[in-house]
Amino acid sequence: MILCELAKPHIASGHRFDAGRHWAASLALTFAHRDGATRMVQARHQGPLRVQRPFYPEGRSEACHVYVLHPPGGLVSGDALTISAHVESGAHALLTTPAANKLYKADSQGVAWTQHTRLSVEDDATLEWLPQETIAFDGSKGEQRTQIDLHGSARCLGWEVMALGRPASDLPYVSGRIEQHFRLTLDGKPLWLERQPLDPLHPRFAGRWGQGGATVQATLWAVGIADAPAAIEALREALPDNPHWAVTVRHGVLLLRYLGNSRNEAWALCEQAWQLLRPRWIEREAHTPRIWLT
C-alpha cells in the first residue's frame, strides 16, 4: 500500500508561504497485476483531484490507461497538490491528463503554490508518465518537485513540457519565479538530479549560457531501453532537424531536451519521440490516448 503525504509548507527561497491559505489536494494510486491484467487497486484522494475509470485501448492484458483530473484546471496562490503513483511488479500503467495545467499569477501578497509528484515503480513494472503541457502565467510563483523511485528492472518513460507566458496574447513571462526539482533514483541510488529556477529577473533567463530567452522547454526521459545508442541514432534520423533539441544518455537514462518558443513544436517532438522509442523500449507500438485528440 502507498501512503500519500500532503505537501509540507516548504517553499524555496524567494517564495512566501501562508499557512492560513494552504489549500491541499492529494491523489494516491496503486497499480497491480491481477488475473492477467493491470488493475488500479487503489485510488485515494483528498480535495479536487480525481481519476476517470481505467481504459484498456491496447487490450486487457496490456497497459492500463488512466486520466488524472484536476477540475480547477490550474494552481493559484496557496494551492498544494500532491500526486503519487505506485506500480507493482508485472504491472504497466500509462498516466496522462485531459488538458494543459495552468500556473496562475500570484496574488497581491505573493503567496506561492506547490506541486509534488512521486512515482514509484517496482522490479519488472512499467510506467508511462505523459501529462499534457504546463502553462505558467506571468507572475506565477511556486515550486514543482518530481521524484521517481525505480527498483530492479523497472521501466519508466515520461516528460515535462513547460511554456512560460502567453505570447499569443502578448503576455510574456516577465515576473514571478518557479523552482523545479527533479530526482530519479534506481534502488536508492541517484541517476539524475536536477534543480532549475525559472526567474525572468535572473541573468541566466536571458543569457545564451542559460535559458537564452526561450519561452518553452521540455524534457523527455526513458529508463530501460536495451540499446540506448541505437535508439538515440534513430531519434536523430527521424526527428526534425533543428537546433532546438538534443538527445543523450547518462547513467542509463535517455534524455531528450527541447528549448525554443513553440508549445506545439515541443509537444509534437515529445510525442513523436515516444512513438519511436516505445517499440524499442517495451516492444509495443505507441497507442495515443484518445483524450489527446479531443
Side-chain angles (χ1 to χ4, degrees), residues 109-128:
Q109 302 300 312
V111 176
W113 49 261
T114 63
Q115 182 176 2
H116 294 180
T117 303
R118 183 165 187 175
L119 311 173
S120 176
V121 190
E122 292 187 8
D123 181 43
D124 193 35
T126 304
L127 174 63
E128 295 172 83

Side-chain angles (χ1 to χ4, degrees), residues 235-246 258 265 269 272:
L235 290 172
R236 287 172 176 163
E237 290 179 0
L239 296 182
D241 183 15
N242 66 52
H244 298 306
W245 68 274
Y258 171 90
E265 183 178 52
L269 184 78
Q272 188 178 353

